[in-house]
Amino acid sequence: MDCSTAESMVNRYIDHTLSVNELESFLEHVEECSSCYDELETYFIVHKAMEQLDENGKDQILDFRELLEEDIRKSRRYILKKKFFRTVEGVVICILAAGLAGFLFYAVTQLL
Ligand SMILES: [Zn+2]
């Protein structure tokens, strides 16, 4: 991924509207590229600051950097979870397909 693609995804990262694949390549990029990470950090801080204004300032969190790191950790866990379920889903489909094939084979041999 190049920087302009990553920058165009910053807002969608913050809104959590990136797909799992997009999210993964986005996080990979910002981890390697400090200028995009800074960009993300700036937008993230502005966004969180606005959110806190809306919430009338109760439970104010001042350490936005920490908050962003936490958000990235959460996103990583989300990716892992999605990948895990996708794998499980793939395995289940394979088992079902094999079961169905086995059943059909059995049914056909019974007919002959
Ligand atoms: Zn970059």
Side-chain angles (χ1 to χ4, degrees), residues 26-57:
F26 177 76
L27 288 179
E28 255 167 38
H29 181 86
V30 294
E31 207 153 75
E32 304 287 314
C33 174
S34 62
S35 81
C36 286
Y37 188 87
D38 286 347
E39 179 96 359
L40 171 63
E41 197 174 69
T42 309
Y43 275 90
F44 187 83
I45 289 170
V46 170
H47 181 83
K48 287 292 166 190
M50 301 284 259
E51 245 179 30
Q52 290 199 352
L53 285 178
D54 287 346
E55 287 164 5
N56 300 322

Side-chain angles (χ1 to χ4, degrees), residues 17-31:
T17 55
L18 292 173
S19 73
V20 178
N21 290 340
E22 285 174 325
L23 187 61
E24 192 181 19
S25 30
F26 177 76
L27 288 179
E28 255 167 38
H29 181 86
V30 294
E31 207 153 75

Side-chain angles (χ1 to χ4, degrees), residues 99-112:
L100 185 66
F103 172 77
L104 285 175
F105 181 74
Y106 175 78
V108 168
T109 52
Q110 293 301 301
L111 284 173
L112 294 173

Side-chain angles (χ1 to χ4, degrees), residues 61-77:
I61 302 155
L62 295 170
D63 197 348
F64 290 110
R65 275 159 205 262
E66 180 66 27
L67 212 60
L68 176 58
E69 278 165 25
E70 175 65 27
D71 200 75
I72 289 175
R73 277 197 294 273
K74 262 191 225 158
S75 301
R76 291 209 169 281
R77 278 201 295 272

